[in-house]
Amino acid sequence: LHQNSMLISWIEAFWLVCTAVVLFPGLIIIKFPKFSTLLNNCFKYGKSLSVGCHSNWELIQVPKRWFTHFYIVAVITTSYTLFNVFHCYIANGLISKSLQEMLLLLRKPVWSGNNFHIDEISPRLNEQTVLLCSILLWFHAIRRFYESAFVSVYSDSKMNCWHYILGLIYYILMPFSILVEAPKFRPNDRYVAAQSYAFMTSVQMFGLFLFLWSSYMQHQCFLILAAARRNNLGNIVNHEHGIIHGGWFDLVSCPHFLFEILIYLSVWFCQRMTWNVWCYVLIFVYTNQIIAAKITHDWYRQKYSQYPKHRTALIPILI
């Protein structure tokens, strides 16, 4: 085992930094809500963001409905990666040198020095797994874009520019976190014999089932959220926040966050639970969704005295 294979790569370091950026301020805000207005305005978004903040803050805030931009970027990046996967594995085409070099740079260990050699890192996913995961991420991006653009009814709430920028970067790098582990995507990569794409392990089949179920359940959550702002004819009647009822909202405040976690977890199951770059993506997603759910849950409890006491933030009974 090469020493460099045990080191953190640049893309893994990026996900760890993002996790730290979310985790530590998030814990401070949850534990000490009034600790810093500066921190709150930088970190919170949507309903939990302070209303009527200083005009200087308004200059660096964007509408929360710009979340749709995230999914436009996601559709573009996942389509690009899926095209290259099909081109390489199905059509036996060649991958562009620029893409290979970019992926190699992302996978290169941070502290590799001048002694780094390409053979010291190897793909940790096989062709079938990369193809399956690329399809799932593309489907997820398409669905979330549809929901954000045509289902969700956004309020007039805001989010900080740094949150917006981080979201864009996230959806750019997320699909490449699969591609950096793909065979045939490195410069001068040795030829790997074509595989049968019909075979799936039991773990992968469970992952696929979990992905489809979680996607359906998350879609139901967004339908319930949208219905709270529409009348029986489907017309938008308000943009206000309120206590949501129905489905998993009767159990937790943020079931759509829970299913987001399960969707990303299902992709890892489809990778046969192999330790790779995607694990760092999972760590970030878990951290981000748990922190966001706790902040949202606390906001509901503070704003509505009649908020159901049995509801938890993210996981029924537990969190």
Side-chain angles (χ1 to χ4, degrees), residues 172-191:
I172 291 173
L173 286 182
M174 181 265 292
F176 290 104
S177 297
I178 299 290
L179 222 53
V180 294
E181 299 286 8
K184 298 186 183 180
F185 276 79
R186 300 183 307 164
N188 304 318
D189 211 353
R190 296 184 181 90
Y191 175 78

Side-chain angles (χ1 to χ4, degrees), residues 61-67 69 155-159 164:
Q61 291 175 354
V62 297
K64 188 191 172 186
R65 62 175 57 91
W66 282 18
F67 260 67
H69 298 175
S155 66
D156 295 326
S157 56
K158 306 282 187 177
M159 61 178 165
Y164 177 71

